[in-house]
Amino acid sequence: MMEDEELEFVEDLEAILHLTPEVQLAIEQVFPSQDPLDRADFNAVEYINTLFPTEQVIFQLVLTVVRGQTNVGQDGRQALEEAQKAIQQLFGKIKDIKDKAEKSEQMVKEITRDIKQLDHAKRHLTTSITTLNHLHMLAGGVDSLEAMTRKRQYGEVANLLQGVVNVLEHFQKYMGIPQIRQLSERVKAAQSELGTQILADFEEAFPAQGSKKSGGPSIVLRDACLVANVLDPRIKQEIIKKFIRQHLSEYLVLFQENQDVAWLDKIDRRYAWIKRQLVDYEEKYGRMFPEEWCMTERISVEFCHITRTELAKLMRTRAREIEVKLLLFAIQRTTNFEGLLAKRFSGCTLNDGPGKKPETPLEPTNPFLEDEDNVSEKDEDLDRPKKPKAPDNPFHGIVSKCFEPHLYVYIESQDKNLGELIDRFVADFRAQGPPKSGTDEGGAVLPSCADLFVYYKKCMVQCSQLSTGEPMIALTTIFQKYLREYAWKILSGNLPKTSTNSGGLTISSLLKEKEGSEVAKFTMEELCLICSILSTAEYCLATTQQLEEKLKDKVDKTLMERINLTGEMDTFSTVISNSIQLLVQDLDAACDPALTAMSKMPWQSVEHVGDQSPYVTSVIMHIKQNVPIIRDNLASTRKYFTQFCIKFTNSFIPKFINHLFRCKPISMVGAEQLLLDTHSLKTVLLDLPSIGSQVVRKAPASYTKIVVKGMTRAEMILKVVMAPHEPSVVFVDNYIKLLADSNPETFQKILDMKGLKRSEQGTMLELFRQRLPNPPSGPDGGPSLSFSAPTPEQESSRIRKLEKLIKKRIQ
């Protein structure tokens, strides 16, 4: 077995290794070779016999190999000994190199020892020479400084003093040496003497009191200012303080509290006076003080501080004389002056740091979103802060801050103006009347709304320029007050009132409704007015939210949380809800007589199924009268028109089903007629959002779902009524399956519609309660009846007839 397997393996291997002549030829062309092993007809046996033709050759080869292995051990031991000797010689050479390196290092140290000593000596000598040189400079400088100080040679002193101070810094570590300490004390004494002397010179040139200046600008004082830059900063501050005080002394006299020019109506004269003084300063003293002292700005800033203090004192004394126009005049002139300062100076002398670019005023336009739109169009820097709170003008409020305690006059004035504005809106509305139907005004936003918010924005911008603190909070309170009044007096106050005279309709009166719409409670003008009020309330709601954001932009960060217009926005939301509810109630009430007529018709006496009933025609007529008007007037607020449709459907369908239960008893033909009417109403309701429109739009899915669910229930009720009540078990099970209603009262109403006697109803109700433990799930949509009827031919005929009528009505 083993031999057979080996033979098979060899045959398989030969079959695999055997190549076709064409392949073999291609291989030889790509890889040419003279090796016999590469030949296609290679024969291993012949090749071995060629190499070893006789047994003696093989024996001789083996013998040679054995003899060669005999000397291998001896040669290995000899090679190991030679390697050990080579390693010992290598270690010896490494040790010699190490010893020579240590000797070389020692020799280098001995050579460089003297050089290091010389290097240290040179360094110490250089330091000593430099110190002696500095000492010579310090001693000579101190002598020269004292001599120049006595001669008031401030120009030379300014340069010399800075050099002496710099040289003295090199001797801080030598202050323990008496001579060095003595020189340091002489420098301090010279600095003190210079400060006292310079202050005396300025006092003499610019006396604090006196009718005329005894001196004036001079080269000596200019050089003295250069010296003051090097001295204690307090000397410079004292010079500036005394000069500005003397320069503004005339201002305090001219604008004393008892002077006529001091009052707010002549506030322009204050700013005109300082402008003249600044021009006079530039001409006379502009070159005397160093430019980095910013004396012109310092004079202006001190003038502002004095003016703010004096005006605050004056307004406290004469608070009763402050009127709105006078206050606004003074604030306007003051803010203009502050803006002029921002253009002229950088604000580097203020405590709050360097100046900023002047603030760009907002344009008094509406709506409030225009500000953000203008920014996006004009400013390409998207990383710019969106809500800067601090004013860009560094001088903002430096004088006008004094008016803030008196801004209550402005707030009271705005309260009065807004009250008059609301009254004017009410009077205009009564005079002009509601928007006319069939015109562009119908359903449009009331013009008074835009006027109100334009005025709001004007007040907000104006107040923010006056103050970003508590006055802005007070103004916000005023805004809230009149937003509510506008909602009550203009919007809610002008909504049409619903009447209670619904009346009753007969079948004959329903037939006459095609000629007019006496049933509708609201006229077309009233419907347009309701839509206009709704659109206005929506505009107010959106604009009030923008107003809140803008107020938070303008007010200080610490007061942002106190600005909240949520209550006012809720008020406008209530107006919107009330307006929609009025529209729903109007259409709902117009359909009530038709539903009442439906419930009073003798459905048991109906002999054949015809076209849709008169009450359906009446309902459709009212829908076609009201809905297009409402849709056209709410074109700009589509979402609220959708809400109207949903609310009307949610009100109408349950009411229709309740009146359907009142139709009793109902014959089989009567139920078929009602089913046809229900289908007609369902079709109209599904088309309600676009009824009477040239442009057909698909109704929202949420609305369609409500209509399908509600009207399908009405259809299921009628299908249950049409079904035979025998056998009782089948009838009850199919009722539970179709309506999925476990309320016994609903089942009782179905039995009343079928006209069953009380005794029969009792049996049915008991059976209904017994079948409730296993209630099936609700219908997923249009299920078919599965009742077992006693006369299937008649039932099939009636259903086919009903389908034909429905198709005819749809066409």
Side-chain angles (χ1 to χ4, degrees):
M1 290 296 292
M2 293 293 293
E3 292 178 356
D4 294 340
E5 290 178 359
E6 290 178 358
L7 289 174
E8 290 179 0
F9 174 76
V10 171
E11 291 176 357
D12 294 339
L13 183 61
E14 289 179 352
I16 294 173
L17 294 178
H18 181 70
L19 301 175
T20 62
E22 292 81 4
V23 176
Q24 188 64 38
L25 179 60
I27 293 174
E28 291 177 357
Q29 291 176 355
V30 176
F31 303 104
S33 174
Q34 301 298 329
D35 192 340
L37 297 177
D38 295 332
R39 293 176 58 85
D41 55 352
F42 173 75
N43 190 317
V45 176
E46 292 180 358
Y47 182 72
I48 294 174
N49 291 333
T50 303
L51 294 178
F52 308 103
T54 61
E55 294 181 0
Q56 289 79 4
V57 175
I58 298 174
F59 177 77
Q60 188 66 29
L61 179 62
V62 173
L63 184 61
T64 302
V65 172
V66 172
R67 289 176 180 175
Q69 293 296 324
T70 306
N71 299 327
V72 171
Q74 183 178 357
D75 293 341
R77 285 192 297 272
Q78 184 178 357
L80 179 60
E81 291 176 358
E82 292 176 355
Q84 290 176 347
K85 290 180 181 180
I87 291 173
Q88 291 177 356
Q89 292 175 1
L90 179 60
F91 276 125
K93 292 180 180 180
I94 292 174
K95 185 177 180 182
D96 293 341
I97 293 172
K98 181 180 179 182
D99 294 339
K100 290 180 181 180
E102 291 176 352
K103 292 179 181 179
S104 300
E105 183 180 1
Q106 186 64 30
M107 187 181 299
V108 171
K109 288 182 178 179
E110 292 177 356
I111 294 172
T112 57
R113 183 181 296 113
D114 296 336
I115 296 176
K116 288 182 179 179
Q117 291 177 355
L118 292 174
D119 185 56
H120 287 305
K122 178 183 177 181
R123 188 182 303 113
H124 294 158
L125 181 60
T126 302
T127 303
S128 300
I129 293 173
T130 303
T131 303
L132 290 174
N133 187 27
H134 286 165
L135 180 60
H136 179 267
M137 292 170 58
L138 179 61
V142 171
D143 293 339
S144 301
L145 182 61
E146 292 173 344
M148 292 176 183
T149 299
R150 289 190 295 270
K151 296 178 182 181
R152 284 182 166 77
Q153 297 176 348
Y154 295 132
E156 292 78 1
V157 169
N159 296 325
L160 180 61
L161 180 58
Q162 185 62 55
V164 170
V165 172
N166 292 338
V167 172
L168 187 60
E169 292 179 356
H170 294 283
F171 291 93
Q172 291 299 321
K173 56 185 177 181
Y174 303 114
M175 285 300 171
I177 301 174
Q179 291 80 2
I180 301 299
R181 185 168 59 251
Q182 183 180 3
L183 286 174
S184 176
E185 291 173 355
R186 289 175 61 187
V187 172
K188 292 180 181 179
Q191 289 176 323
S192 177
E193 183 179 353
L194 278 171
T196 304
Q197 188 171 292
I198 290 173
L199 290 176
D201 291 343
F202 269 93
E203 185 68 27
E204 182 180 355
F206 305 102
Q209 295 179 354
S211 59
K212 295 183 180 180
K213 301 181 179 70
S214 58
S218 65
I219 297 178
V220 174
L221 294 181
R222 183 190 65 186
D223 295 338
C225 292
L226 298 177
V227 176
N229 272 336
V230 186
L231 296 175
D232 192 324
R234 288 178 294 180
I235 303 299
K236 169 185 171 182
Q237 295 171 3
E238 188 67 22
I239 293 173
I240 294 174
K241 181 179 179 181
K242 288 185 176 182
F243 178 81
I244 294 178
R245 184 191 307 160
Q246 187 277 334
H247 208 69
L248 296 178
S249 59
E250 181 183 355
Y251 174 70
L252 293 172
V253 175
L254 292 176
F255 294 91
Q256 286 184 5
E257 184 176 350
N258 57 357
Q259 297 295 323
D260 184 57
V261 294
W263 189 228
L264 300 180
D265 58 344
K266 297 180 176 60
I267 197 171
D268 278 342
R269 299 189 181 184
R270 294 177 180 267
Y271 305 130
W273 182 89
I274 189 59
K275 292 176 184 177
R276 292 194 301 270
Q277 290 298 312
L278 293 178
V279 173
D280 180 69
Y281 166 82
E282 291 289 348
E283 294 177 353
K284 294 181 179 180
Y285 309 105
R287 298 182 180 180
M288 187 178 74
F289 293 99
E291 185 178 353
E292 64 269 18
W293 284 22
C294 301
M295 287 299 295
T296 308
E297 180 177 328
R298 292 182 186 276
I299 293 172
S300 302
V301 171
E302 184 61 25
F303 165 81
C304 292
H305 292 327
I306 294 173
T307 302
R308 185 180 64 212
T309 303
E310 293 297 320
L311 286 177
K313 187 191 307 181
L314 187 62
M315 286 188 290
R316 282 196 301 269
T317 305
R318 303 172 62 175
R320 295 183 179 180
E321 302 178 33
I322 300 177
E323 298 179 353
V324 176
K325 292 183 178 179
L326 180 61
L327 181 64
L328 293 179
F329 168 78
I331 292 175
Q332 181 183 8
R333 293 296 188 270
T334 302
T335 53
N336 289 343
F337 176 71
E338 292 173 348
L340 182 64
L341 293 179
K343 294 178 181 179
R344 175 64 177 83
F345 306 115
S346 64
C348 60
T349 63
L350 299 174
N351 294 330
D352 56 354
K356 305 171 185 177
K357 295 182 180 179
E359 182 179 8
T360 302
L362 299 175
E363 297 180 2
T365 56
N366 197 56
F368 297 96
L369 281 179
E370 290 183 4
D371 292 337
E372 298 177 2
D373 295 340
N374 291 337
V375 169
S376 62
E377 293 175 0
K378 299 177 182 178
D379 192 352
E380 297 179 355
D381 185 7
L382 299 180
D383 294 331
R384 183 184 62 83
K386 187 177 180 181
K387 295 184 178 181
K389 297 299 180 183
D392 292 334
N393 181 356
F395 297 94
H396 178 80
I398 191 171
V399 178
S400 58
K401 195 75 173 177
C402 66
F403 298 110
E404 187 167 322
H406 304 277
L407 287 179
Y408 67 88
V409 178
Y410 171 79
I411 301 300
E412 291 174 354
S413 172
Q414 298 306 323
D415 189 0
K416 180 181 177 182
N417 293 341
L418 284 170
E420 295 175 352
L421 188 64
I422 294 295
D423 293 339
R424 180 167 64 83
F425 290 160
V426 174
D428 291 346
F429 189 91
R430 291 175 180 173
Q432 298 173 4
K436 305 301 180 182
S437 61
T439 66
D440 293 338
E441 297 179 0
V445 176
L446 298 178
S448 59
C449 176
D451 295 341
L452 177 66
F453 283 102
V454 166
Y455 190 84
Y456 270 14
K457 182 173 183 179
K458 178 182 177 182
C459 294
M460 179 187 67
V461 173
Q462 191 176 45
C463 187
S464 65
Q465 293 174 348
L466 307 179
S467 172
T468 57
E470 288 295 335
M472 284 292 291
I473 302 299
L475 184 66
T476 301
T477 303
I478 298 299
F479 285 174
Q480 292 174 299
K481 173 184 175 182
Y482 289 102
L483 283 174
R484 292 191 296 269
E485 285 203 13
Y486 186 86
W488 296 332
K489 293 182 179 181
I490 307 298
L491 302 182
S492 294
N494 287 305
L495 283 173
K497 302 297 185 294
T498 57
S499 61
T500 57
N501 184 20
S502 59
L505 288 182
T506 62
I507 298 299
S508 60
S509 65
L510 284 173
L511 296 175
K512 295 179 181 179
E513 284 186 1
K514 296 182 180 179
E515 301 178 358
S517 57
E518 301 90 2
V519 180
K521 291 184 178 182
F522 293 145
T523 64
M524 189 176 297
E525 288 75 14
E526 289 174 328
L527 291 176
C528 291
L529 173 60
I530 295 173
C531 294
S532 181
I533 290 176
L534 192 154
S535 299
T536 304
E538 185 203 20
Y539 176 87
C540 291
L541 176 63
T543 314
T544 300
Q545 184 176 1
Q546 299 162 17
L547 174 63
E548 181 183 65
E549 295 174 358
K550 291 300 177 182
L551 287 170
K552 290 182 177 180
D553 275 349
K554 300 296 182 184
V555 79
D556 293 337
K557 290 183 178 180
T558 56
L559 302 176
M560 285 179 59
E561 295 182 357
R562 294 175 58 183
I563 293 181
N564 186 357
L565 303 183
T566 304
E568 288 65 40
M569 288 186 274
D570 291 342
T571 301
F572 290 117
S573 297
T574 302
V575 174
I576 294 173
S577 299
N578 292 341
S579 301
I580 296 175
Q581 191 61 33
L582 275 179
L583 296 173
V584 171
Q585 288 177 359
D586 177 63
L587 183 56
D588 208 18
C591 298
D592 279 348
L595 296 179
T596 302
M598 176 193 77
S599 62
K600 293 182 179 180
M601 289 180 65
W603 295 103
Q604 191 177 19
S605 303
V606 177
E607 297 179 355
H608 63 276
V609 178
D611 203 351
Q612 65 185 22
S613 302
Y615 76 91
V616 176
T617 304
S618 175
V619 171
I620 295 176
M621 179 189 66
H622 288 302
I623 290 176
K624 288 184 176 181
Q625 285 178 347
N626 283 28
V627 173
I629 298 174
I630 297 171
R631 181 184 59 245
D632 294 343
N633 284 278
L634 295 182
S636 60
T637 55
R638 188 74 184 176
K639 63 179 181 180
Y640 292 117
F641 174 69
T642 303
Q643 287 187 20
F644 158 76
C645 295
I646 291 175
K647 287 188 176 182
F648 170 73
T649 304
N650 282 330
S651 174
F652 176 80
I653 293 178
K655 188 177 294 186
F656 172 73
I657 293 177
N658 288 335
H659 282 79
L660 199 63
F661 282 133
R662 298 177 187 176
C663 299
K664 56 185 179 181
I666 303 176
S667 65
M668 179 67 70
V669 178
E672 291 176 356
Q673 180 65 49
L674 279 173
L675 187 60
L676 174 65
D677 295 341
T678 301
H679 183 80
S680 299
L681 288 175
K682 179 180 179 181
T683 303
V684 171
L685 290 176
L686 288 173
D687 192 43
L688 181 68
S690 60
I691 193 169
S693 175
Q694 298 295 333
V695 180
V696 179
R697 291 185 179 180
K698 185 179 179 181
S702 57
Y703 171 79
T704 303
K705 183 178 180 181
I706 293 173
V707 174
V708 171
K709 181 179 179 181
M711 296 305 291
T712 299
R713 176 174 172 80
E715 292 173 344
M716 292 300 104
I717 291 173
L718 292 172
K719 288 182 180 181
V720 171
V721 172
M722 292 170 58
H725 61 278
E726 295 293 343
S728 302
V729 175
V730 175
F731 176 78
V732 171
D733 289 345
N734 279 280
Y735 166 83
I736 295 174
K737 178 181 178 182
L738 292 175
L739 291 183
D741 191 341
S742 61
N743 189 353
E745 294 181 0
T746 305
F747 187 67
Q748 176 77 48
K749 293 177 181 179
I750 296 291
L751 298 179
D752 290 339
M753 293 174 70
K754 291 182 69 63
L756 296 181
K757 297 179 180 179
R758 290 296 176 183
S759 58
E760 295 176 325
Q761 291 184 11
T763 305
M764 285 284 190
L765 286 171
E766 184 64 26
L767 181 60
F768 172 75
R769 294 188 181 94
Q770 294 176 358
R771 307 294 292 182
L772 277 181
N774 298 316
S777 58
D780 296 332
S784 59
L785 288 173
S786 59
F787 301 113
S788 56
T791 55
E793 293 81 9
Q794 296 178 0
E795 187 68 24
S796 175
S797 175
R798 290 176 178 176
I799 292 176
R800 283 196 299 271
K801 184 177 180 180
L802 179 62
E803 289 176 350
K804 290 180 180 179
L805 289 173
I806 292 175
K807 290 180 180 179
K808 180 180 179 181
R809 177 58 183 164
I810 294 175
Q811 293 175 354

